[in-house]
Amino acid sequence: MGLFSKKEEDAPIDELTPEISAKLDQLAQKGNQFEKEKRYEDALQAWQEGLNLIPEPQQFYSETVWFLAAVGDVYFQKGMYSLAYECFDKARGNLSGAGYGNPFVMLRLGECCLEIGDEKNALEYLLRAYMMEGEDIFERDDDGEDDGAKYFDFLRSHIDLGKGTN
């Protein structure tokens, strides 16, 4: 027997069933609509229901990242930065790889870190987001909200983002 137990070796091989995938899509759309209507508690409930449908160990499913990011984003918008950080940190640690390579997850982690006073990690995550998406990731959303100028200014004040060679 190898270093891992049989259960650990088998954990990531299962795909979500078409039924669960369809239900997750439905709950994601429902949550998104509630969020658009600023019905945040209803949105959180829909997304939490989605998370509850994802089998354990959830960290092997990329869908977990979507739902954690959605929940974390609502917490962020409500100024609940510690709760938002917890969600985005779980998303970042997702073993599917979908979290660490997601620029939005990196952006929100950096923003949350800055808001809770962790400038070192804020700088790391904001720089990662910038490296993946460039300055555009700090622009306002389509609805004109979520002004990232504060976070981009923080990044720019600590890192030379010049386009030329140094």
Side-chain angles (χ1 to χ4, degrees):
M1 190 183 247
L3 295 174
F4 300 105
S5 70
K6 185 71 173 152
K7 184 178 181 185
E8 289 172 314
E9 289 174 345
D10 290 348
I13 63 169
D14 291 337
E15 294 282 326
L16 293 176
T17 66
E19 295 80 17
I20 290 176
S21 291
K23 184 68 175 168
L24 290 176
D25 288 344
Q26 183 181 48
L27 288 167
Q29 289 175 8
K30 189 175 174 183
N32 290 340
Q33 184 59 41
F34 286 143
E35 182 184 21
K36 187 181 280 188
E37 296 167 2
K38 301 204 183 305
R39 294 172 53 191
Y40 296 123
E41 295 306 316
D42 292 330
L44 289 172
Q45 185 176 358
W47 291 322
Q48 190 59 54
E49 189 178 335
L51 278 170
N52 292 339
L53 287 176
I54 299 171
E56 292 293 340
Q58 291 184 334
Q59 70 266 25
F60 288 107
Y61 296 95
S62 61
E63 291 84 356
T64 304
V65 174
W66 308 340
F67 284 91
L68 286 170
V71 170
D73 193 40
V74 167
Y75 288 144
F76 183 84
Q77 291 176 51
K78 293 178 80 171
M80 302 167 80
Y81 302 116
S82 293
L83 288 173
Y85 174 83
E86 287 178 30
C87 291
F88 286 108
D89 192 48
K90 284 182 188 174
R92 177 196 55 81
N94 187 279
L95 298 176
S96 72
Y100 205 71
N102 184 307
F104 179 71
V105 170
M106 295 294 108
L107 175 70
R108 279 294 195 247
L109 270 171
E111 292 171 335
C112 289
C113 286
L114 189 59
E115 294 297 339
I116 61 178
D118 182 357
E119 289 189 4
K120 179 183 175 210
N121 282 318
L123 196 55
E124 176 186 340
Y125 293 127
L126 292 172
L127 183 57
R128 287 182 184 280
Y130 176 80
M131 290 172 62
M132 288 183 221
E133 291 288 317
E135 190 175 340
D136 290 349
I137 197 160
F138 296 94
E139 298 295 321
R140 290 181 183 261
D141 291 338
D142 293 338
D143 61 9
E145 295 184 19
D146 184 29
D147 183 9
K150 168 185 173 180
Y151 306 104
F152 186 67
D153 289 345
F154 169 80
L155 179 62
R156 199 172 31 202
S157 72
H158 288 77
I159 303 282
D160 179 8
L161 301 175
K163 306 287 191 247
T165 58
N166 293 337

